[in-house]
Amino acid sequence: MPQVTNKWYSIRTRAAAQGVKSAEILIFGDIGESWYGDSILAKDFVQEIAAIDAEQITVRINSYGGSVSDGIAIHNAIKRHPATVTTSIEGVGASIASLIAMAGDTVEMAENALLMIHAPWGYAAGNSADLREFADMLDTWAQAMATSYASKTGRTTEEMLALLTDGQDHWYTAEQALAETFVDTVVQAMPMAASFDRAALSARFKSLPAAGGSPFAAAAAPTSKEIDMPGTNQPAAPAQTAAKSEEEIKAAAVKAEAQRREEIKASFAKFSGVEGVAALQASCEGDITCSVQDANNKLLAHLGKGSAPVAGGYAVTVEDSRDKFRAGAMAALMARANLAKDDRVNNYRGLSLMDMARECLAMAHIDVRGKSKMDVVAAAFTSTGDFPLLLSSVAEKAMLKGYEEADETFQKWTNVGQLGDFKAGKRLDLNTFPSLDKVAEGAEYKYASVGERGETVQLATYGKLFAITRQAIINDDLDAFSKIPARMGRAAIRTVGDLVYAILTGNPNMADGVALFHADHGNLLTGAALSTASTDAMRVAMARQKVGSEAALNIRLGYIIAPVSLEGAARVVANSEYEVGILDATNKLSNRNNTTPNSMRGLFEVISDARLDAASTAAWYGSANPGMYDTIEVSYLDGIQTPTLEQQGGWAVDGVEFKVRLDAGVKALDFRTLAKNPG
């Protein structure tokens, strides 16, 4: 009999009997990445059950529950399998394990077994916003679970949700579960005694099953750590209890109390350095009615008093295996595209794009066995799987990296603005804020008059399309969604740079009808080559700018903006120790032996851009510091300075189409902070 086993569960395929292939699955442990030892990992389970070639499957369950997300994945994997499935609750089917039991076409329950249903739960610590978010998340999981219980019992989702949100642990005997239609049949128990550790369970469940009577009644405290659940062929339990002496009962009680104190100490130990925890621990240990669960609740309430989350937030057993897959797959693709560090322990490291497409389909429980590569990729693009999401996420990161690493210079000397829509807007003329008035004793202060400048700012949309085809996936062409988006990102920021430098070279009219650089504006200087004298003349002209009869604005020259062909000369002027003259007929500095100090040394920064060369290799410009004055403003919609990547299923191409979009507007706000020398 072939068998596949691991630590948490076992799958046993049986030889065909009467021509029918069958298999048996044993789920005897905690579901997911548990705090309690053995656990059943959904990813492994889902992959192995999908590989079972059987017509009949029996799933035997003895589990106290665990991770909600893993449990739902296991439930769905069982439901999806084409075999006729019988789920059998052998001992305990509690919490999310009860949901897994609902996946069977037929649900059996041993007559001495227990079923328990309650809402998902977990630990949380943090401020009030953190705890509300945590509660909302648990309600969402409860809603998801309610649909499966409703589907099995034939009741409404609302009825099941009410059962999951009343805060109670609902324990059912086999007969009660049958009456409530959670199971289809009750089977005879094996001649064996089932037991559970009450101390361990008290830390997980609010209540334990009563020894007879209603499953909702509070359970009487046992006198022993083990509670026997006899089968039909065993002697009655009361005979065993009666055989115990008074001394044995006292010893058991002392042992239980010692264990309670030890478990409380273990819970509090890691937080011993937090103020007030030691006193709370002593109080909980001294109160014999305080259970381990009660102590944990008090500890969490104490830790949650602060405004910041403890240990970085909250921990909960509802981790989503699909989220883990997405994170691992994303990291693997990012590493292959040289966008992130290679993680050698990543399970998805080195997978080709085709392999990744198949993994995404398997995670979405879509069977593509026997399909061609083109059909597999088509399914990956059009299904509800994660493949398009992974591609778009990597493409977006590549695009943003290209955008951020582009060698652009306009950001240094321009201002950044924000607009909420595409309507034309005005800007306040902050450069011309008037001087302060002298206020005599007892006199009133006067309001400054700061009007709207005449310049109008308005956004426009810039964008481009590109596509990733099925052929690119089959060919494992990483460039399609790494290098191409990176170049699109660089193209986006280059577009903004084009708009900015077009202001300098195009010399548009300002609101007063006069060109940006004009003698009437006092910012168009007499043509001269770069030198100490010519840059000093630009500095002086900018400092003397004023508004009407107001005093000079004293605007300081911050940048010399030159074509690349003049960058070297500009840097000589900016950094030379001695005065720099103009070039003579032999292209040498006419006063290269001058010992006069360079008065412009260190007073400005040099910026060069090849766009200026295309217009003139002689003209150069000056700009004030944008941190102090308005120069040219680059406005973005809602302040979003990075391009946006959008995707949709390909229609014109077999694959997926991407659109890169950037909403931006560029406008010179003030001629006084800019100057030009035609050279």
Side-chain angles (χ1 to χ4, degrees):
M1 179 177 66
Q3 177 171 306
V4 180
T5 63
N6 67 15
K7 181 179 178 182
W8 308 290
Y9 62 91
S10 62
I11 297 177
R12 300 185 287 196
T13 57
R14 300 184 181 278
Q18 297 180 348
V20 177
K21 297 179 181 178
S22 64
E24 184 178 60
I25 300 174
L26 304 181
I27 299 179
F28 283 18
D30 282 335
I31 311 300
E33 294 182 351
S34 165
W35 302 327
Y36 300 96
D38 288 353
S39 66
I40 296 164
L41 298 178
K43 182 183 72 172
D44 300 333
F45 184 94
V46 169
Q47 291 176 345
E48 290 193 28
I49 193 174
I52 294 177
D53 181 17
E55 299 168 76
Q56 294 180 352
I57 296 177
T58 300
V59 181
R60 304 191 184 279
I61 299 170
N62 184 24
S63 171
Y64 292 119
S67 166
V68 172
S69 59
D70 283 0
I72 291 176
I74 292 172
H75 172 279
N76 292 338
I78 295 172
K79 292 285 286 185
R80 259 192 326 274
H81 200 283
T84 300
V85 178
T86 299
T87 54
S88 178
I89 302 172
E90 305 284 297
V92 176
S95 191
I96 197 63
S98 69
L99 185 83
I100 294 175
M102 300 300 107
D105 298 302
T106 301
V107 182
E108 297 179 351
M109 185 169 176
E111 60 185 354
N112 61 345
L114 287 173
L115 176 75
M116 193 276 279
I117 297 174
H118 67 177
W121 67 277
Y123 292 130
N127 56 33
S128 59
D130 297 323
L131 298 180
R132 289 190 188 96
E133 179 183 358
F134 182 77
D136 290 341
M137 180 179 65
L138 294 180
D139 286 342
T140 300
W141 283 114
Q143 178 72 45
M145 294 167 62
T147 60
S148 296
Y149 289 115
S151 176
K152 174 62 186 74
T153 61
R155 303 185 198 176
T156 65
T157 301
E158 289 71 22
E159 287 181 273
M160 293 297 98
L161 190 59
L163 197 67
L164 291 171
T165 55
D166 63 1
Q168 300 299 315
D169 297 335
H170 298 285
W171 291 93
Y172 297 87
T173 64
E175 291 300 328
Q176 290 167 335
L178 179 63
E180 298 292 338
T181 67
F182 288 114
V183 301
D184 300 304
T185 183
V186 176
V187 298
Q188 186 176 8
M190 294 293 291
M192 60 178 285
S195 65
F196 62 87
D197 187 333
R198 181 183 182 85
L201 293 185
S202 66
R204 302 178 65 171
F205 306 130
K206 296 183 65 175
S207 65
L208 298 180
S214 169
F216 307 112
T223 58
S224 171
K225 182 177 178 181
E226 301 292 322
I227 297 179
D228 292 328
M229 299 168 58
T232 56
N233 297 327
Q234 289 183 300
Q240 291 182 335
T241 303
K244 292 183 179 180
S245 67
E246 183 178 352
E247 291 300 322
E248 289 175 324
I249 295 175
K250 288 182 179 179
V254 170
K255 182 179 178 181
E257 171 61 12
Q259 182 172 347
R260 183 187 70 86
R261 287 174 173 267
E262 286 301 317
E263 291 182 7
I264 290 175
K265 287 180 181 178
S267 296
F268 279 65
K270 64 182 68 176
F271 304 105
S272 59
V274 179
E275 184 179 358
V277 167
L280 180 60
Q281 177 182 336
S283 174
C284 292
E285 288 185 36
D287 182 2
I288 61 173
T289 65
C290 180
S291 68
V292 176
Q293 179 64 49
D294 292 337
N296 286 339
N297 290 339
K298 291 180 180 181
L299 174 61
L300 289 172
H302 180 78
L303 296 175
K305 289 179 181 179
S307 60
V310 176
Y314 51 76
V316 64
T317 62
V318 293
E319 290 181 276
D320 190 342
S321 60
R322 194 161 180 176
D323 287 340
K324 296 176 185 177
F325 163 73
R326 288 170 181 158
M330 172 70 70
L333 288 175
M334 291 283 288
R336 284 200 64 202
N338 295 318
L339 296 172
K341 184 179 179 181
D342 186 12
D343 183 359
R344 294 184 177 273
V345 299
N346 190 332
N347 292 335
Y348 307 101
R349 178 175 179 261
L351 292 187
S352 68
L353 295 178
M354 273 298 301
D355 293 336
M356 199 66 75
R358 293 184 185 276
E359 286 286 339
C360 290
L361 290 170
M363 186 61 62
H365 314 303
I366 297 173
D367 187 4
V368 291
R369 286 176 293 185
K371 294 184 179 295
S372 68
K373 289 184 178 180
M374 289 293 282
D375 289 339
V376 170
V377 177
F381 275 133
T382 58
S383 71
T384 57
D386 297 317
F387 194 59
L389 174 65
L390 290 175
L391 290 186
S392 65
S393 296
V394 174
E396 182 178 35
K397 292 182 184 299
M399 177 195 69
L400 293 177
K401 183 178 181 182
Y403 181 88
E404 293 167 357
E405 294 180 350
D407 190 14
E408 288 291 340
T409 58
F410 69 86
Q411 302 97 324
K412 293 183 179 180
W413 59 276
T414 58
N415 304 100
V416 176
Q418 176 176 332
L419 291 173
D421 52 41
F422 290 88
K423 299 176 183 176
K426 298 283 189 178
R427 287 288 189 256
L428 292 176
D429 190 359
L430 299 180
N431 284 348
T432 59
F433 194 94
S435 301
L436 300 183
D437 298 327
K438 180 178 180 180
V439 181
E441 183 179 354
E444 293 182 354
Y445 287 83
K446 295 180 180 179
Y447 286 98
S449 177
V450 181
E452 290 183 341
R453 61 171 83 247
E455 307 308 325
T456 300
V457 292
Q458 190 168 13
L459 296 174
T461 298
Y462 304 88
K464 205 77 171 179
L465 296 173
F466 70 95
I468 297 178
T469 64
R470 297 188 203 178
Q471 288 85 351
I473 302 303
I474 293 174
N475 295 337
D476 200 30
D477 185 3
L478 287 172
D479 290 351
F481 66 103
S482 58
K483 292 185 179 180
I484 292 177
R487 286 177 172 79
M488 295 294 283
R490 288 196 287 271
I493 195 170
R494 186 172 64 244
T495 299
V496 179
D498 291 344
L499 297 173
V500 169
Y501 285 102
I503 296 288
L504 298 184
T505 60
N507 199 20
N509 285 347
M510 302 294 284
D512 59 5
V514 179
L516 168 61
F517 301 113
H518 196 277
D520 292 349
H521 284 161
N523 64 353
L524 182 59
L525 285 81
T526 302
L530 277 160
S531 66
T532 298
S534 61
T535 54
D536 189 46
M538 182 175 285
R539 177 189 67 83
V540 173
M542 189 174 291
R544 289 177 175 175
Q545 289 281 11
K546 58 183 180 179
V547 180
S549 60
E550 291 284 338
L553 297 175
N554 203 27
I555 299 171
R556 296 295 178 177
L557 175 67
Y559 299 92
I560 291 295
I561 307 167
V564 174
S565 56
L566 293 181
E567 180 181 0
R571 294 193 181 281
V572 171
V573 176
N575 301 310
S576 176
E577 181 179 357
Y578 300 108
E579 182 182 69
V580 177
I582 61 174
L583 300 177
D584 58 20
T586 62
N587 205 33
K588 296 181 179 180
L589 293 176
S590 59
N591 55 346
R592 59 187 304 173
N593 296 321
N594 195 347
T595 57
T596 304
N598 179 13
S599 62
M600 294 300 293
R601 183 183 184 188
L603 292 186
F604 60 85
E605 182 179 341
V606 176
I607 295 175
S608 67
D609 197 281
R611 297 177 181 92
L612 300 180
D613 292 76
S616 171
T617 57
W620 49 279
Y621 306 83
S623 170
N625 187 334
M628 300 177 63
Y629 306 98
D630 287 335
T631 56
I632 290 177
E633 180 179 278
V634 181
S635 301
Y636 299 94
L637 181 63
D638 294 330
I640 300 175
Q641 301 182 35
T642 55
T644 300
L645 186 71
E646 298 176 349
Q647 77 167 64
Q648 68 173 6
W651 180 256
V653 297
D654 286 332
V656 61
E657 295 176 334
F658 292 93
K659 176 172 66 179
V660 176
R661 187 190 71 245
L662 183 65
D663 301 308
V666 177
K667 183 68 176 180
L669 296 184
D670 198 336
F671 59 82
R672 301 174 186 86
T673 58
L674 298 167
K676 176 181 179 179
N677 190 309

